[in-house]
Structure formats: structure tokens, C-alpha cells
Amino acid sequence: MTTDAAPGAAARRGRPGYDRDRLLAVVVQAFNDHGYEATSLGMLSERLGLSRSAIYHHFDSKEQMLEVALAQALDGLEAVFDEPEATTGPADARIRHVLRGAVLVLTAELPSVTLLLRLRGNTEVERAALARRRAIDGRLRALFERARDEGTLRPEVDPRLAERLTFGMVNSLVEWYRPDGRTSPEALADAVLAYVDAGLTAR
Amino acid sequence: MTTDAAPGAAARRGRPGYDRDRLLAVVVQAFNDHGYEATSLGMLSERLGLSRSAIYHHFDSKEQMLEVALAQALDGLEAVFDEPEATTGPADARIRHVLRGAVLVLTAELPSVTLLLRLRGNTEVERAALARRRAIDGRLRALFERARDEGTLRPEVDPRLAERLTFGMVNSLVEWYRPDGRTSPEALADAVLAYVDAGLTAR
């Protein structure tokens, strides 16, 4: 549950009540509640019950907190596309794999993915994250183009639109999915896949 | 293009370059770029090239600008659900009608719908708008429940999940749809409906 297990990380710990990951979780929640820009260090200090210098014990800046949180989301999504099931075999099976995987990353990393999806691109860190996000979108679009070439995308479906609409459906989960709700991540992935299949034909 | 045609509205005009609607369009763009909370009156003044008092000539407060913009989006969406095609006949046809209508409202009122969908609920105006939005979600959910009762919802599809995923797909359009792009609103609605149909059976 914590990345602080790495050697040398102990120097970043030492404040009772918060390790780096738990502090970041509170920070990300504040960013999601108020927006990154509108969240001041004073607001974070109040939420955490920590002084500013105690916060700076863990992170160099508000921007670094954003960067680390966004990396959690982006690393998870990119990893799905690097899995063997996403890089070998028929394109329609790869599409099903990456969209199921995206649902599972989203439900597991809900706060950081929410933060990623709400970015406006007003800072360098945000723009770099948005560029990585666009590259992920591009990888899904390439799979839909491959499915078209292999004859498993329904001919009336535009690959780009298929990418936008299916990722859009997946991404919209951040608006309502709650980990303690009645729908499990796997059941959610099944439901999404039923809709995704509407754009694909049987092989 | 302007609501200022109403009697008495002339008193609200008079500043060269901006009527109330065009001013609001610039304001909504600023809210969408920076978030409502993070957008100061100073920032609006700079974008508009107007003094604060000139802005107050059109609106009483930043909150009133938000309220008027959100009403544009909400009125449009509610109107779709009040149309005869949404209130009479088989539920699956009503569902197709309201989701097509939602796509058309979203593309026509893109900035104000974007603002609505990004609300965090930190003020009374935001919470009231979110309550109206939840009521709209509830109306779509009721239609999916009706489709289940009429036997036109695929039995393995949960009505609540169908509502979340189909509206989620529609709402995700605000993230990428551009009025000057290559996809027309009607073509977009056709593509969305092809996915929506995956959850419905033929009658």
C-alpha cells in the first residue's frame, strides 16, 4: 500500500499519522474537491492537520504532489497496454483486454484517475500528463484501426469515434463509481464490455 | 442568439462590444479553463477587457453568471425529456429519443454543459444544479426500468448501470467534441445510438 518501502524512503517518513502515500491520498482528494489550482497549501495544511513544513517534509511542492499522483494513474493505464494480451493476437481481443484493464485500473486508482481526467493543462506538469494521456488514447485508436483492417470492426463504425466513445464510457465511471458500492469492478467491466462489443463483429 | 431581446433587457446592454450572452460566453470559457472557484473577477475583467463595474452592469455576481450558464444547459436537457417522443410510446423508443436529444443539446450548448458536468458542488448554486442533474439522470433510469418491464432491456443489463454507462458515454463528448470538427452532431448521435442499442433488444 505504500511506496515508502523503498530504500532511503525512511528519511521521507517520521511524521506520526502520515506516510507519503496516505498524505498524498488526502491531497488528491482536496485537488478533486476544489481543483488543483484552487487548492492552496493552507487548505492542505488544514485538511491534514499538519504544518506547511511538515508537508514539505514529504514533497518539494504542490506541483510535485500533482506529478506523483498523476504518475500513479498513467503508469497503471500504460501497463495495461504493455501486457502480452494487448500486444499480441487479434485486435478485437486486444481491445477487449485493454478496456477491461482500463476499468480495473480506474476502479483501483479512482482518485488519481479522477484527477487525471479533470486536468485543464494550465501548467507544465499538467500538459505533460495530458500528452501521456493522448498517447494512451492513440494506442486504443490504433487497435480499433487494426480491428478495421482485420475485419472485426463493424464497417459503419469509425475507429476514431469508437475509441472516443468507448474510452469516454470507461472514463465516465469516475463520476459515480464508489469502491464501497454494490457493483464490483469485474461486474462493471462486464457491463462496459457488453457495450464495447456492439462496435465489434464476431470473428 | 441573445436573450436580451426581452423587454427591459435594453437596460442591461449599452456597453459596446458585449451583450449579456456574448459576455457570458467568455465567462463560461474562463470557468471551464480554470474552474469556477479559481476564476477571479480580476481574471474575467482581463479576458473581457472590461472594468469590474462594466461586468456588474450585466450580472450581479460571479455566482449569478454561473447560475444563468447552468440554466442554459439544464433547461435544454429537461426539455428533451418533456417532448412527446420521450413521454409516450414504448420505453426503448423513448430512450433512443432522449439520448439522441441529449447529444444534440450537448453539441449545441457545449460550453454550458461542460461547466455543468465539471461542477464540484461547493456552493449553493452548484448544489442546486447538481440536484437538477441528478433528477435528469433519474428520468433516464426510470425509462430503462420501464424498458426492463416491457421486455426491451436485455435481461443481463441492470437499468441503473445502463443509465450510468449510456449517459456517461454521451457526457464524455464534452471532453473532445468541437463544433468545427469533422463529425456532425447527427452523425455523432447515430454512433452513440449504435452503442446504446447494444443494451436493448428488438421489439
Side-chain angles (χ1 to χ4, degrees):
Chain A
M1 291 300 287
T2 168
T3 56
D4 270 352
R12 287 293 220 173
R13 215 185 289 127
R15 182 65 44 170
Y18 287 107
D19 59 24
R20 200 173 188 239
D21 274 8
R22 288 181 54 207
L23 186 145
L24 189 63
V26 174
V27 168
V28 169
Q29 191 58 55
F31 290 167
N32 284 335
D33 288 346
H34 299 284
Y36 170 68
E37 281 184 81
T39 305
S40 66
L41 210 61
M43 289 159 75
L44 295 179
S45 171
E46 193 173 324
R47 273 206 189 210
L48 289 159
L50 290 179
S51 69
R52 289 167 193 230
S53 67
I55 297 173
Y56 281 128
H57 179 72
H58 293 279
F59 290 96
D60 298 332
S61 63
K62 194 177 90 165
E63 192 161 50
Q64 195 199 16
M65 298 175 203
L66 179 68
E67 193 166 19
V68 173
L70 293 173
Q72 283 181 354
L74 289 162
D75 291 351
L77 290 168
E78 287 168 357
V80 168
F81 279 85
D82 291 334
E83 286 165 357
E85 298 91 332
T87 52
T88 56
D92 61 334
R94 297 192 204 185
I95 289 167
R96 291 186 180 97
H97 177 79
V98 296
L99 287 171
R100 176 177 295 279
V103 171
L104 299 180
V105 168
L106 190 147
T107 53
E109 302 285 350
L110 189 62
S112 61
V113 177
T114 303
L115 185 63
L116 173 67
L117 296 177
R118 289 187 182 164
L119 283 191
R120 293 191 174 78
N122 293 325
T123 67
E124 199 47 56
V125 165
E126 290 176 81
R127 283 188 289 274
L130 288 175
R132 281 178 72 184
R133 190 185 155 194
R134 275 194 302 275
I136 294 169
D137 293 346
R139 292 177 78 171
L140 179 60
R141 189 161 58 249
L143 290 179
F144 273 114
E145 286 164 355
R146 197 181 180 100
R148 178 198 54 201
D149 297 344
E150 293 177 2
T152 51
L153 188 68
R154 276 172 48 180
E156 71 274 23
V157 177
D158 174 66
R160 181 172 161 280
L161 212 44
E163 175 258 307
R164 298 285 199 181
L165 294 177
T166 56
F167 246 167
M169 178 178 273
V170 170
N171 291 342
S172 74
L173 300 179
V174 301
E175 300 302 329
W176 62 269
Y177 178 76
R178 296 295 167 265
D180 52 358
R182 66 182 190 194
T183 308
S184 73
E186 281 295 345
L188 199 51
D190 289 343
V192 168
L193 264 286
Y195 281 105
V196 169
D197 278 340
L200 302 169
T201 62
R203 255 174 292 139
Chain B
M1 289 299 286
T2 168
T3 56
D4 269 353
R12 289 292 222 174
R13 215 186 287 127
R15 181 67 43 172
Y18 286 108
D19 61 22
R20 198 173 190 242
D21 275 9
R22 289 181 53 208
L23 186 143
L24 190 63
V26 176
V27 167
V28 169
Q29 192 57 55
F31 290 167
N32 284 335
D33 289 345
H34 299 283
Y36 169 68
E37 279 183 85
T39 306
S40 67
L41 210 60
M43 291 159 75
L44 295 179
S45 171
E46 194 174 324
R47 274 204 188 212
L48 289 158
L50 290 179
S51 67
R52 290 169 193 230
S53 67
I55 298 174
Y56 282 129
H57 179 72
H58 292 281
F59 290 97
D60 299 333
S61 62
K62 193 177 92 165
E63 191 161 51
Q64 196 199 16
M65 300 175 202
L66 180 68
E67 193 165 20
V68 173
L70 293 173
Q72 282 180 354
L74 289 162
D75 291 351
L77 291 168
E78 287 168 358
V80 169
F81 279 86
D82 290 334
E83 288 165 356
E85 298 90 331
T87 53
T88 55
D92 60 335
R94 297 192 205 186
I95 289 167
R96 291 186 179 97
H97 177 80
V98 297
L99 287 171
R100 176 176 295 279
V103 170
L104 299 180
V105 168
L106 189 147
T107 53
E109 303 284 350
L110 189 63
S112 61
V113 177
T114 303
L115 185 63
L116 173 67
L117 295 177
R118 289 186 181 163
L119 283 191
R120 293 193 172 78
N122 293 325
T123 67
E124 199 47 56
V125 165
E126 290 177 81
R127 283 188 289 274
L130 288 175
R132 280 177 74 183
R133 190 185 156 195
R134 274 194 301 275
I136 293 169
D137 293 345
R139 291 176 79 171
L140 179 60
R141 189 162 57 249
L143 289 179
F144 273 114
E145 286 164 356
R146 199 181 179 99
R148 178 197 55 200
D149 297 344
E150 293 178 2
T152 51
L153 187 69
R154 276 172 47 181
E156 70 275 25
V157 176
D158 175 66
R160 180 172 162 279
L161 212 44
E163 175 257 309
R164 298 285 199 182
L165 293 177
T166 57
F167 247 168
M169 177 177 274
V170 170
N171 291 342
S172 73
L173 301 179
V174 302
E175 301 301 329
W176 62 270
Y177 178 76
R178 296 296 166 264
D180 52 359
R182 67 182 190 195
T183 309
S184 73
E186 281 295 344
L188 198 53
D190 288 344
V192 168
L193 264 287
Y195 280 106
V196 169
D197 278 339
L200 302 170
T201 62
R203 255 175 290 141

